Structure formats: structure tokens, C-alpha cells
Amino acid sequence: MNQSLSTRITQMQESATLKMAKTSRELKAQGHDIIDLSIGEPDFDTPEHIKIAAKNAIDQGYTHYTPVSGYPELRKAIAIKLKRDNDLDYTPDQIVVSTGAKQSIANVILSLINPGDEVLLPAPYWVSYSAIADLAEGKSIEVHASIENDFKVTPAQLESHISSKTKLIVFSSPCNPTGSVYSKDELSALAKMLAKHPTVYVICDEIYEFINYTGQRHTSLAQFPEVKDQVITVNGFSKGFAMTGWRLGYIAAPLWIAQACDKMQGQITSGTCSIAQMAGVAAATGDMQPTYDMVTEFRKRRDLVYKMLNEIPGIKTNLPDGAFYFFFDVSAFFGKSYNGFTVNNPEDMSTYLLKEGLIALVNGEAFGDKKCIRLSYAASQEKLITVCQRLKDALAKLK
Ligand code: PMP
Ligand code: GLU
């Protein structure tokens, strides 16, 4: 490592999801028959009407710098979408559009956290939350949920970790990596608890909003008036509209937080891509059928993988209600070996499965869990069947 790099970067963990995706891309390029279920991104193409809007944007000259927080027409479209889908009232100036929800989260954390402030992370959590909190010199505190409780924390559990230093809570529902979805009643109870702590803010990451199999409409924490001023709703276009490469995410937040994020973004990236923004207008206001079709297929895959995982001795899993991941417990195999390689933790397991099973899954430690690994089922049913067979065979060799 170059000695002149900052401690900020030398201490930063590489994103485990992106690292595994890179490794499997490299192995594939060398001719290895790897099936990559590491990165979480829809394997569907962006819907046609969104692509057309982007092409029109180029032809119509939407090729210049945009306002830092996004074009007014996009922020207005998002405000309408938030009312339509989430029953949330936000004015366009409370919305900041960014280069992906990842940047939205970074903007908020860097705007709110002072060194030493505590950030509560219901665990398992998405990999980048802790890395960004570290970047802001905050102190991440994991609040562990168990597979038996569908990987959800209770308000009492969270409250027991709130101290005078607690500034922020960050969680996703539907959750990456567990697929868990907090119900309206659970969020209502959470809102009641949080309202007792008005100086604690909450990032509610709803990027998987549409990928929900509960049959219930998505509930946003900000819907509960007693906590609305404490909540920053994060969302984006990557998952629900199969637009990962377009890099388009946003927050809806109290005005002072939106203004801080605008200032932060104005010094780091400016407004995101003008063409992607005009595509976002089409996505937010257009036909939702392609999204619903995609979710129907994800649901079939979820059911298929659930059945197959349950047929593998030693694996323990919950039934995810949303997103497109399984986060299953492989601790029954810890201490077992094959060919001189012993699996003692999730990282060893993901290495073993890559080498012995030719499948790329992500080590659960990056998500704050010591027993599980993550499988993204955003892949064809055919691939998923092969993966589960490879998984079964590789695990059966461990003695
Ligand atoms: N939050 C969660 C929970 C995610 O899974 C992702 C996916 N990368 C993001 C945020 C960031 O999404 P993007 O930057 O592609 O909008
Ligand atoms: N959200 C995806 C994942 O968790 C994309 C990769 C990333 O940005 O971490 O795999």
C-alpha cells in the first residue's frame, strides 16, 4: 500500500459486493465457468419507454450541467410519485437527486455525522452503510437481529442502544441482504419509539420498495407524522426500474437536510447525468407494468430458490418477503474441511464455494453477520437451478 495515502482510504473496507463481482468477472475472463450471484442488480433490461425518453433527451439538448439537486421536472415527478405510492407530502425543494442511492446515503451521513456520533445499524445491513459512517468518523453500532425473528429488530431492542451520542439509524425495508420487510404495524411501533428521541434521525432506505411479495402496499416510515421530521427517505431507480447503470437515486427529507445535501453534492459531483434524469421522469410518471412483470418473475425465483435451499442439509434460511436476496445460515459447516481447506467463517465459505462450487456469493461478515452468506437471485431460473445444485454438491464434500 502506498505510504502517502490517507488513513481515511487505507482504513476503508473495499465494498464486498463489488469486490466479489470483480473477482468473478476476472475468473470468467480467464475461462472459469463461474456463475455470479454476488452483485444485486436486476438482470432485466431497462423498460423501453424509459430508454426512449433518454434518447429524446439527447436529441432535445438535455446535455448541459443540471441544477445540483436535479431538474425541477424530475423533482416534481418524484414528489408526485411519493404522494402516489407512499402517501408522502414533499415539495420538490425537499428532494435531492443524486448519482445513485449510494451517493444519496453518503450525502446524508456526511451532512449529519460529526466524529464520534453514534450510528445504529440494525444488522444484517447493506455493506456500504458502515463504510460511509466510518468515512464520516461516526461510530457504527450494530444491533443484531436473528434469523428466528426474520432478521428484524424490535423497537425495544433499538431503543436499548440509543444514548446521548446517537445521531442516526440506517436501515432498509425491504432489506438488503435479508429480504425482510417491516410491516405497517412494526413501522408504526418503531415510529412511536423514535418520536420519544427527536434528536435521532433515521435513513429509511426504500430502494427495493416495488420488489415486495407481501401483497401489502409498501409502507414508508415517514408516513407516520410523529417522526416525519426525523426521517430521510432514500430511494432510487436502480432496482424497481432495472436502471443500475444509469446512476439515479434521491432523498426526500426535511428542508434543512436537503439543503445540506445539495451543498455537499455541489462540491463533489454536481447534479447527476442530465440524460439519466430525463429517463427518471419517464420512469417516475410512466407505465409500471414492466416493473410488475419483473416482480412476478422475481417471486417465482424466490419460491424456486427457497424450495431448493430447504433441500440442502445444513442450510438454514428465512423466507424473504422482498428484494432479491437470500441470506442463509451456513454455520453448520464451520470447522469442516475438504481437500485441505477448512471453512471456519462466512468469508472462508464464500472462498470455498467460489473455488470448489464455481459460484460467487457474498460473505455475510460484510453485512454485519457471522453465520450467513448472501445469494442474489436476480438471475435466470436455469442459472439458479445450476447454482443450487453446485451449492449442494460443494457443501456435501465438507466433512
Ligand atoms: N441501498 C441498498 C439497500 C442497495 O441494495 C443499493 C444497491 N446498490 C443501494 C442503496 C444503492 O443503489 P444505487 O446507488 O444503485 O441507486
Ligand atoms: N446493491 C447491490 C448489492 O448489494 C449493488 C452493489 C453495491 O453497490 O453494493 O449487491
Side-chain angles (χ1 to χ4, degrees), residues 105 108-110 112-122 125 128-134 136-143 158 161 163 165-171 200-203:
I105 294 163
V108 177
I109 294 180
L110 291 169
L112 290 183
I113 296 301
N114 278 317
D117 283 349
E118 292 182 355
V119 180
L120 302 190
L121 299 177
Y125 51 80
S128 293
Y129 298 160
S130 55
I132 299 171
D134 289 348
E137 297 178 54
K139 189 170 172 229
S140 295
I141 299 192
E142 297 179 353
V143 182
L158 259 185
H161 289 82
S163 74
K165 290 190 184 147
T166 310
K167 185 73 185 276
L168 187 65
I169 299 172
V170 191
F171 79 109
V200 174
Y201 297 89
V202 188
I203 292 181

Side-chain angles (χ1 to χ4, degrees), residues 9 47 61 67 70 92 96-97 137 218 236 250 311 337 339 355:
I9 193 67
V96 180
V97 177
E137 297 178 54
H218 173 79
Y250 59 90
E311 285 164 6
S337 313
N339 239 351
K355 270 185 17 196

Side-chain angles (χ1 to χ4, degrees), residues 15 17-18 38-40 102 126 176 208 239 325 374:
S15 161
T17 49
L18 302 184
S38 63
I39 198 160
K102 192 181 278 187
W126 181 48
N176 177 1
Y208 295 96
K239 314 292 165 165
Y325 307 102
R374 190 190 78 171

Side-chain angles (χ1 to χ4, degrees), residues 127-389:
V127 288
S128 293
Y129 298 160
S130 55
I132 299 171
D134 289 348
L135 190 62
E137 297 178 54
K139 189 170 172 229
S140 295
I141 299 192
E142 297 179 353
V143 182
H144 289 275
S146 69
I147 198 166
E148 287 74 24
N149 200 25
D150 192 22
F151 289 118
K152 293 192 243 184
V153 292
T154 62
Q157 212 185 335
L158 259 185
E159 191 170 29
S160 71
H161 289 82
I162 292 180
S163 74
S164 57
K165 290 190 184 147
T166 310
K167 185 73 185 276
L168 187 65
I169 299 172
V170 191
F171 79 109
S172 58
S173 176
C175 175
N176 177 1
T178 64
S180 307
V181 177
Y182 283 85
S183 69
K184 189 167 188 173
D185 287 349
E186 286 165 340
L187 289 172
S188 165
L190 190 60
K192 280 199 183 72
M193 182 280 282
L194 290 167
K196 291 192 272 163
H197 305 277
T199 55
V200 174
Y201 297 89
V202 188
I203 292 181
C204 191
D205 182 345
E206 306 187 357
I207 196 156
Y208 295 96
E209 150 182 32
F210 294 117
I211 308 172
N212 176 336
Y213 320 115
T214 59
Q216 307 294 316
R217 195 164 176 238
H218 173 79
T219 306
S220 294
L221 183 63
Q223 275 170 20
F224 300 95
E226 63 270 38
V227 280
K228 188 171 177 212
D229 290 345
Q230 293 164 251
V231 177
I232 301 98
T233 302
V234 169
N235 208 326
F237 295 84
S238 286
K239 314 292 165 165
F241 300 95
M243 290 177 71
T244 47
W246 299 73
R247 311 308 302 127
L248 201 59
Y250 59 90
I251 58 161
L255 189 60
W256 61 278
I257 296 179
Q259 286 170 341
C261 291
D262 176 284
K263 183 173 165 190
M264 177 70 66
Q265 187 163 295
Q267 290 288 26
I268 298 180
T269 56
S270 298
T272 191
C273 169
S274 55
I275 302 150
Q277 288 190 46
M278 294 315 287
V281 174
T285 56
D287 183 11
M288 291 298 295
Q289 197 54 47
T291 299
Y292 301 146
D293 293 346
M294 191 167 72
V295 176
T296 303
E297 176 58 24
F298 278 138
R299 191 194 178 114
K300 286 186 196 153
R301 295 172 184 179
R302 181 208 55 171
D303 293 344
L304 175 71
V305 175
Y306 185 65
K307 182 172 167 289
M308 293 188 295
L309 288 180
N310 275 308
E311 285 164 6
I312 302 179
I315 282 184
K316 196 158 89 182
T317 184
N318 63 326
L319 177 65
D321 276 328
F324 38 66
Y325 307 102
F326 275 88
F327 196 66
F328 52 91
D329 186 324
V330 288
S331 61
F333 299 93
F334 295 171
K336 297 190 175 181
S337 313
Y338 176 70
N339 239 351
F341 185 90
T342 305
V343 172
N344 284 318
N345 51 49
E347 183 163 10
D348 292 344
M349 182 57 97
S350 61
T351 305
Y352 172 74
L353 291 173
L354 190 61
K355 270 185 17 196
E356 205 49 52
L358 301 178
I359 51 180
L361 309 181
V362 191
N363 153 29
E365 278 155 307
F367 302 91
D369 185 280
K370 290 189 166 50
K371 292 180 173 174
C372 297
I373 55 173
R374 190 190 78 171
L375 175 155
S376 157
Y377 55 91
S380 68
Q381 296 193 28
E382 195 190 343
K383 268 192 193 165
L384 294 170
I385 291 169
T386 309
V387 164
C388 289
Q389 192 54 53

